[in-house]
Amino acid sequence: MLFNSIDFAIFFPIFFAIYWIVAKKLTVRNAFLLTSSYLFYGWWDWRFLFLILFSSIVDFTIGQKIYNATNKRVRKNYLVVSLLINLGLLGYFKYFNFFIDSFIHSFRFFGAEIDSFTLHIILPVGISFYTFQTLSYTIDIYRERLKPTKDWLSFFTFVAFFPQLVAGPIERASHLLPQFFKTYKFNYNALKSGLLLMAFGLFKKMVLADRLAIVVNEVYNNPTGHSGQDLIIATVFFAFQIYCDFSGYSDIAIGLSRTLGFNLMKNFETPYFSTSITEFWRRWHISLSTWFRDYVYIPLGGSRNGEYRTYFNLFLVFVVSGLWHGAAVTFIIWGAIHGIIIVVEKALSKTPLHINRNKLFPKIIFTAFTFSIVCFAWIFFRANTFADSLYIVKNLFNFNFEKWSLYNLGLPSHEFDFAIIVIILLLLFDAFHRKYNALKVMNKSNVIVQSLVYTIIVYSIVIFGIYGDNSVSEFIYFQF
Amino acid sequence: MMKKRIFSIFVFAAFLIGGFIYLDKIYRTKERYVNTFEDFKSLAEKTSIDIVFYGSSMSHTAYNPLVINHFTKAISYNLGSDALRIPVSELIFKKSLEYTKPKLIIIEVHESSIKYPKDDNIKGLQLEVLDFVSNTDFDKIKFVKQNYDNNNFLSTMFPLIRNHTKWYDFNLFDFDKRKKVNTSRYFYFGGHYGLVNPIDEVKYYQYVDFENTPIKNNNEKELFTNKEKKNFIKFIERAKNLNIEVIVVTSPYLLARFNNNYFFDSIKKISDSLNVNYINLNNYYKDIGIKIDDFSDRYHLSEKGSIKTSKFLANYINRNYLLEDRSLEDHWKNIDQVYETFIANYGEIANQFFKKKLNFNLTENISIENVKIVKNRNKKDFSIKLNYPDDIKNKLSNYKMGVYVYPKKSDLKKVDAKRRESSRNHDQADVQLKDNMDVVNFRINTRIDNIKEIKLFLYNAKNYNGMIGNPLIINDITFN
């Protein structure tokens, strides 16, 4: 079920009403949440439910086993089982065909031919997200940072919690799981701010992301048919498309949880105002980058084993992060680019070449420079094939203005101009929010102003939103 | 605190609901039916309406309330709309009862109007009328659910959702949704949209023998399902239960005898079983005096045909129903004054025409078979049938046709002012021929009515080097 769908528009009010009726009784509430979450998830494909149920049972059981085991080796073995099962499932559903293809291609490179076979495997929605979420549970228990719960209902609900199940934020068990052990009273302010956040998320997704997607799809589905300026425009548009799509989803997830009394972690913090790639990753998909930091980078040694090992660890983490995003070479390259830049920044930070980026002029330059690098990397993220990505990179500056128009990229002039205006407004809003916290400012204004602003947001979505018979409706990160 | 919250919820709800009502009105497109229904309401406020027509375009083009009123001495109105299906006609009948209860309703039916809409275009046309029916009407909801995709439910019910993609086309202050009537195509009165132009040349010759075509009866299957039949019966019964008389009518149309005719028999059977009169006007061509020129196309009468048909139907009503004589009332008199003006100007509306069979060789290979000129106020519509061998088919685009219209002395001043200034005493047009063209259709804007001579000739489309071949000169043109 998509958040921007009629099905959800019908589901949510009914769910919300019943939720607050049963909210006072913990078991009943969690049971209702779990059922609703399974209903939400099963809406895509009921077969997916077996997988999430299996994952929940495995990690719930293994969590207990790890905690109860006194022998360190036994604890480690249980952890390895959890890792193997979770990553095995992820590997099978997401990477099986990719590895087979890569294996066959590498044999072909040496002149040998192997019959190719790929399986028709449906990728369960959100598997990358909930797998990491449950792994954080077993890993934290192993590290003795968390005690396992005996309350299977709370645990299963934590795994399947529908607001963040399919596209994050990837919550830590230590942060989210305890919230299922408490009941919450209805809070009007939480409802208000939650609904506002949901509306804002829908605005970003439906008004901007889906609109920009039209241009991005037009160019990226046929890069050879477009000149350099088109490729640049589409790439920049993609940067905003993926930001609005993904942060929009996160806003909806966080806002929705807030209306229910739950608190999810922030996932985006105005990332395109970053002055370095290092800073970018502190602001972009925060839940994933911190997960990789805590569960991959630090176990690899982090920065504890010397400079070069640190660089290697950083690079590897980003390559793996790329692979997490998708089973294709282009995602690995995307991750590698970020990895290389991060390593370079880390190396430069220790040299006299390091510049103070807090002053206005360097800030602007470095923000623009960082944005350009991020956009460059997005080429690999978005391109349909490796060949396409190479073509785009080679032809980025191959301009041709003969019989060219900005308005031949899939969007008519008024729509294109509107998209540009909204991008500018979004950047201004992000800049404002970065400094002043827009929600606090809103809450201080009078009732009429607040109501007017909320009404404008709602009707902006209704009027300017891309919905109906439209292929761009699904959130980008669902494919992960 | 509680009071403040209730107040803020109330203010927000007020903005939201008010905003929706306002935007739903703004986002309605300008449609002809807005004119129809607004004028209906306006008339119903002033006086009672005795006769109301329902049905498709074959109703609103065929039955002119001016003529009906004049001959029945009653007050009538036409609530027909393009491609309207019986269930929607019934819905608008229900709605119209809120404003007036007629003594007699006339339901126009033909093969398509009984059926549910299948085509997207036809489904769209139902919405023009459905927008006037309340969204809380259960029958409307049922009809929409049965005939439109679930995904399009909201857009079917609310113009705001339906038209939101064209947000740039709407003026936020424009509440006037009346569509400007194109008087060169339509004569509008009381919901009647009379078609000003007569049938085109191609169809003219194709159907010229329509009266003598034997009726086809080669299909024993009923042309509608049981459900569709029930809708029709339900409509009639609803009217009868309110003591409203019903006439079921099929308007004259050219395809009546070319299509299967078990339909008419089926309608007759149903009407008889319900004790209502059914009159298939296709059985009365001679009585009505219908000729080929009384049609505008295969399905619709021209205004000339509408006048004859309305008069015939009015006399039928007088013979079979007892309606109050309202000719002494001011409202009736006011409407009948419009009738007098309409008939006095009939010559302009009746589309006088000139026709001549020729077989004149413009060049060795290209000849003119016949010429037809329709007088349409300040425009003259030409239809010139060409004859040429196959090898010339793809060479016609090499030619342009020059057309000179010379006035008689009395109309010399009607020649276009700029031409008179350059001492030319004729109006003219230059028409680019197209490959494979059989009939050259074009329009000359000329005020010349008394034509002395028309000259037609061909010349080279790329460069004028004088005329090619022979000019056709037609003298003493009289419009009938």
Side-chain angles (χ1 to χ4, degrees):
Chain A
M1 205 187 290
L2 293 169
F3 285 148
N4 54 326
S5 69
I6 295 289
D7 297 336
F8 185 74
I10 297 169
F11 166 83
F12 179 62
I14 301 169
F15 161 81
F16 187 80
I18 300 173
Y19 176 85
W20 283 110
I21 292 169
V22 304
K24 284 182 184 163
K25 294 178 183 170
L26 183 67
T27 312
V28 178
R29 182 207 70 188
N30 284 346
F32 177 67
L33 259 178
L34 181 65
T35 313
S36 304
S37 297
Y38 281 169
L39 175 70
F40 181 89
Y41 191 55
W43 207 261
W44 268 281
D45 193 322
W46 59 270
R47 294 172 293 180
F48 294 169
L49 290 172
F50 291 109
L51 214 57
I52 196 171
L53 196 55
F54 174 70
S55 216
S56 304
I57 293 169
V58 161
D59 287 324
F60 178 75
T61 312
I62 288 180
Q64 303 273 0
K65 297 277 186 208
I66 293 173
Y67 185 75
N68 293 329
T70 48
N71 185 310
K72 198 176 177 184
R73 201 170 158 201
V74 171
R75 285 161 57 83
K76 199 170 191 175
N77 288 343
Y78 279 125
L79 178 66
V80 167
V81 168
S82 170
L83 287 168
L84 282 175
I85 290 173
N86 283 297
L87 294 177
L89 282 172
L90 188 59
Y92 173 74
F93 283 101
K94 200 165 171 178
Y95 301 106
F96 181 85
N97 287 336
F98 168 66
F99 283 124
I100 292 294
D101 281 342
S102 304
F103 184 71
I104 289 165
H105 279 122
S106 49
F107 263 79
R108 261 192 211 137
F109 184 76
F110 292 107
E113 270 301 329
I114 299 179
D115 284 339
S116 75
F117 69 95
T118 47
L119 300 177
H120 180 60
I121 301 170
I122 301 167
L123 178 63
V125 173
I127 190 169
S128 306
F129 292 89
Y130 70 73
T131 311
F132 274 31
Q133 189 153 304
T134 55
L135 276 176
S136 80
Y137 175 72
T138 49
I139 296 171
D140 280 353
I141 291 172
Y142 174 78
R143 286 176 175 175
E144 294 175 6
R145 285 181 192 166
L146 185 70
K147 282 187 184 163
T149 178
K150 287 182 184 169
D151 181 356
W152 67 268
L153 183 61
S154 295
F155 180 76
F156 281 31
T157 313
F158 152 73
V159 174
F161 188 47
F162 77 87
Q164 47 88 242
L165 170 62
V166 291
I170 302 170
E171 280 289 340
R172 303 300 178 84
S174 53
H175 179 246
L176 183 57
L177 182 57
Q179 296 184 55
F180 290 95
F181 302 145
K182 295 183 260 193
T183 56
Y184 302 100
K185 275 188 187 163
F186 177 81
N187 183 312
Y188 175 77
N189 288 328
L191 173 68
K192 204 169 95 172
S193 68
L195 287 176
L196 182 60
L197 203 49
M198 285 172 73
F200 189 56
L202 280 172
F203 178 87
K204 283 197 280 189
K205 161 69 178 163
M206 292 169 71
V207 175
L208 195 51
D210 286 348
R211 190 171 254 99
L212 297 176
I214 294 168
V215 171
V216 173
N217 291 346
E218 160 68 28
V219 175
Y220 270 78
N221 287 346
N222 178 28
T224 55
H226 292 275
S227 48
Q229 65 270 26
D230 291 349
L231 299 173
I232 290 175
I233 290 168
T235 304
V236 171
F237 272 22
F238 181 69
F240 286 99
Q241 179 200 346
I242 193 168
Y243 171 55
C244 289
D245 197 289
F246 197 12
S247 69
Y249 184 94
S250 294
D251 286 343
I252 297 169
I254 294 166
L256 177 46
S257 304
R258 198 177 288 175
T259 66
L260 308 176
F262 292 90
N263 178 29
L264 298 184
M265 66 180 291
K266 197 184 276 192
N267 215 11
F268 291 86
E269 180 99 58
T270 63
Y272 289 146
F273 286 92
S274 304
T275 55
S276 66
I277 295 294
T278 309
E279 188 187 354
F280 176 79
W281 281 102
R282 283 202 292 268
R283 294 176 173 281
W284 178 276
H285 203 175
I286 299 165
S287 62
L288 181 74
S289 58
T290 53
W291 197 98
F292 272 109
R293 179 196 64 199
D294 294 343
Y295 300 112
V296 181
Y297 179 66
I298 288 173
L300 282 174
S303 56
R304 296 191 304 271
N305 297 328
E307 205 178 323
Y308 294 105
R309 181 58 197 240
T310 304
Y311 298 155
F312 174 76
N313 292 342
L314 278 169
F315 179 74
L316 186 64
V317 162
F318 277 93
V319 167
V320 171
S321 168
L323 190 61
W324 178 89
H325 280 82
V329 162
T330 47
F331 290 110
I332 295 172
I333 294 172
W334 169 78
I337 291 172
H338 279 275
I340 290 167
I341 304 293
I342 291 249
V343 164
V344 167
E345 282 179 2
K346 191 131 181 104
L348 287 176
S349 67
K350 294 174 181 167
T351 70
L353 289 169
H354 175 70
I355 296 167
N356 182 356
R357 296 164 197 227
N358 290 323
K359 291 187 178 170
L360 181 65
F361 184 68
K363 203 171 192 174
I364 293 171
I365 301 293
F366 278 101
T367 303
F369 183 63
T370 304
F371 182 71
S372 306
I373 295 174
V374 167
C375 283
F376 178 78
W378 282 138
I379 293 172
F380 295 90
F381 192 95
R382 177 56 185 84
N384 291 336
T385 62
F386 179 59
D388 278 357
S389 62
L390 284 184
Y391 177 88
I392 291 168
V393 167
K394 277 185 199 164
N395 290 281
L396 262 185
F397 298 104
N398 187 6
F399 301 135
N400 180 0
F401 292 100
E402 200 187 320
K403 287 183 187 173
W404 177 79
S405 166
L406 261 182
Y407 306 127
N408 283 342
L409 300 177
L411 278 181
S413 57
H414 55 274
E415 291 282 356
F416 191 97
D417 295 344
F418 177 75
I420 299 290
I421 290 168
V422 179
I423 288 174
I424 293 169
L425 287 174
L426 180 71
L427 289 170
L428 288 171
F429 175 81
D430 271 0
F432 175 83
H433 184 58
R434 206 168 143 109
K435 203 165 179 185
Y436 298 108
N437 192 325
L439 188 62
K440 274 188 185 156
V441 171
M442 267 294 292
N443 285 336
K444 282 182 190 163
S445 47
N446 72 49
V447 163
I448 307 285
V449 169
Q450 282 188 50
S451 298
L452 194 57
V453 169
Y454 299 154
T455 307
I456 289 171
I457 293 174
V458 167
Y459 286 120
S460 296
I461 297 167
V462 172
I463 294 168
F464 302 118
I466 305 283
Y467 56 89
D469 291 328
N470 203 304
S471 62
V472 291
S473 187
E474 209 171 76
F475 288 91
I476 287 181
Y477 265 67
F478 277 12
Q479 63 187 296
F480 311 129
Chain B
M1 191 60 154
M2 193 63 177
K3 271 187 188 165
K4 197 183 172 188
R5 281 181 189 172
I6 291 171
F7 176 67
S8 61
I9 291 170
F10 175 77
V11 170
F12 177 55
F15 269 116
L16 216 56
I17 293 166
F20 189 83
I21 293 169
Y22 164 75
L23 289 168
D24 205 42
K25 272 196 162 66
I26 290 292
Y27 276 78
R28 289 184 82 157
T29 42
K30 288 187 194 277
E31 305 289 355
R32 287 209 304 252
Y33 207 75
V34 174
N35 305 21
T36 299
F37 207 75
E38 281 189 359
D39 291 345
F40 169 77
K41 283 196 293 189
S42 176
L43 180 63
E45 272 167 25
K46 293 177 201 156
T47 186
S48 60
I49 303 173
D50 305 302
I51 307 168
V52 181
F53 290 84
Y54 297 93
S56 66
S57 54
M58 289 166 73
S59 167
H60 76 65
T61 53
Y63 309 111
N64 186 338
L66 279 178
V67 178
I68 300 282
N69 290 4
H70 181 77
F71 288 99
T72 61
K73 310 276 188 250
I75 293 179
S76 66
Y77 200 89
N78 198 321
L79 281 177
S81 185
D82 293 345
L84 212 60
R85 296 320 200 224
I86 287 291
V88 184
S89 286
E90 192 198 345
L91 284 170
I92 202 67
F93 166 65
K94 251 199 323 180
K95 181 71 185 174
S96 67
L97 292 173
E98 291 174 22
Y99 301 96
T100 193
K101 183 182 164 191
K103 309 266 185 326
L104 168 67
I105 64 167
I106 299 175
I107 306 173
E108 174 271 323
V109 297
H110 61 283
E111 293 99 321
S112 301
S113 67
I114 291 274
K115 294 199 222 302
Y116 285 117
K118 294 268 183 285
D119 188 72
D120 279 348
N121 189 41
I122 305 295
K123 286 183 190 181
L125 287 168
Q126 311 305 301
L127 299 182
E128 275 190 46
V129 175
L130 282 173
D131 280 347
F132 287 94
V133 181
S134 167
N135 284 338
T136 55
D137 186 318
F138 177 72
D139 288 331
K140 175 179 176 178
I141 297 170
K142 197 171 145 197
F143 177 80
V144 168
K145 278 259 157 202
Q146 273 175 348
N147 293 284
Y148 297 81
D149 280 341
N150 279 333
N151 289 338
N152 292 330
F153 181 77
L154 286 180
S155 56
T156 307
M157 300 295 263
F158 300 106
L160 170 60
I161 311 277
R162 185 189 318 150
N163 297 321
H164 82 279
T165 53
K166 295 190 185 119
W167 52 268
Y168 48 91
D169 264 348
F170 292 89
N171 181 335
L172 289 178
F173 303 103
D174 182 13
F175 286 98
D176 179 12
K177 299 299 167 185
R178 293 181 73 96
K179 188 161 186 168
K180 196 174 170 191
V181 178
N182 180 353
T183 53
S184 66
R185 285 193 70 198
Y186 301 103
F187 169 76
Y188 170 72
F189 185 86
H192 162 70
Y193 280 91
L195 292 167
V196 169
N197 297 319
I199 198 161
D200 69 47
E201 196 68 16
V202 172
K203 289 192 191 76
Y204 179 98
Y205 286 105
Q206 197 178 348
Y207 294 101
V208 69
D209 275 334
F210 75 99
E211 291 163 282
N212 300 323
T213 303
I215 296 168
K216 259 193 198 168
N217 275 316
N218 59 4
N219 189 340
E220 298 233 10
K221 263 190 342 191
E222 264 201 291
L223 295 172
F224 41 85
T225 64
N226 271 334
K227 230 180 183 175
E228 287 162 348
K229 185 174 163 182
K230 275 185 185 155
N231 293 334
F232 178 53
I233 293 171
K234 192 167 147 257
F235 186 0
I236 296 173
E237 283 178 344
R238 186 187 283 278
K240 287 189 72 181
N241 288 340
L242 293 165
N243 295 321
I244 298 172
E245 298 271 18
V246 178
I247 298 176
V248 179
V249 71
T250 298
S251 306
Y253 65 109
L254 285 172
L255 289 182
R257 286 166 172 249
F258 291 85
N259 289 346
N260 294 316
N261 271 277
Y262 276 95
F263 171 78
F264 302 130
D265 293 341
S266 304
I267 294 293
K268 179 88 174 87
K269 264 192 215 151
I270 297 168
S271 304
D272 287 346
S273 71
L274 295 170
N275 208 22
V276 298
N277 284 325
Y278 168 57
I279 177 164
N280 178 4
L281 293 172
N282 293 285
N283 294 333
Y284 295 94
Y285 294 148
K286 282 197 167 65
D287 303 272
I288 298 170
I290 289 269
K291 300 287 175 205
I292 182 70
D293 283 334
D294 292 320
F295 291 95
S296 185
D297 58 47
R298 290 181 300 181
Y299 284 100
H300 304 101
L301 292 165
S302 65
E303 187 55 43
K304 200 162 130 222
S306 159
I307 291 167
K308 290 180 186 175
T309 308
S310 301
K311 185 177 173 184
F312 179 85
L313 189 63
N315 289 331
Y316 176 86
I317 292 169
N318 286 339
R319 285 197 306 274
N320 292 283
Y321 299 88
L322 195 62
L323 294 172
E324 196 187 330
D325 181 339
R326 302 189 59 187
S327 58
L328 297 174
E329 290 178 30
D330 286 340
H331 284 118
W332 189 93
K333 285 179 188 170
N334 291 337
I335 294 171
D336 206 52
Q337 273 179 351
V338 179
Y339 170 81
E340 298 298 342
T341 317
F342 164 70
I343 290 296
N345 292 333
Y346 174 70
E348 288 195 50
I349 294 158
N351 290 306
Q352 296 168 311
F353 65 93
F354 164 83
K355 215 163 51 181
K356 192 167 185 177
K357 269 196 169 164
L358 291 156
N359 289 318
F360 180 88
N361 293 332
L362 284 172
T363 68
E364 218 175 76
N365 295 312
I366 301 170
S367 63
I368 291 179
E369 197 177 292
N370 60 59
V371 171
K372 185 178 173 188
I373 308 166
V374 175
K375 193 164 106 169
N376 192 348
R377 297 200 181 106
N378 291 337
K379 300 171 185 56
K380 307 293 178 287
D381 291 327
F382 282 71
S383 288
I384 300 171
K385 190 155 188 334
L386 297 176
N387 247 335
Y388 47 82
D390 280 345
D391 57 333
I392 299 294
K393 241 196 269 192
N394 295 322
K395 292 179 185 168
L396 286 175
S397 53
N398 294 334
Y399 298 98
K400 273 189 172 173
M401 182 179 282
V403 184
Y404 289 1
V405 179
Y406 294 92
K408 288 184 178 166
K409 227 178 182 176
S410 55
D411 274 11
L412 270 172
K413 282 188 180 167
K414 288 188 179 178
V415 172
D416 179 75
K418 279 191 182 157
R419 284 191 220 289
R420 276 190 283 125
E421 274 169 33
S422 50
S423 305
R424 285 184 198 192
N425 62 345
H426 61 270
D427 282 340
Q428 74 182 66
D430 295 285
V431 184
Q432 172 67 56
L433 298 191
K434 290 181 188 163
D435 290 340
N436 296 304
M437 202 177 211
D438 275 335
V439 180
V440 186
N441 288 312
F442 61 93
R443 175 173 276 183
I444 300 182
N445 291 327
T446 174
R447 294 187 304 132
I448 301 170
D449 287 327
N450 296 310
I451 299 174
K452 180 180 154 193
E453 185 181 287
I454 289 179
K455 186 170 161 186
L456 293 158
F457 59 93
L458 295 177
Y459 62 92
N460 190 312
K462 287 185 184 148
N463 270 317
Y464 182 76
N465 282 324
M467 76 177 85
I468 295 172
N470 311 308
L472 167 65
I473 312 258
I474 309 172
N475 292 318
D476 288 320
I477 290 150
T478 318
F479 289 97
N480 295 311

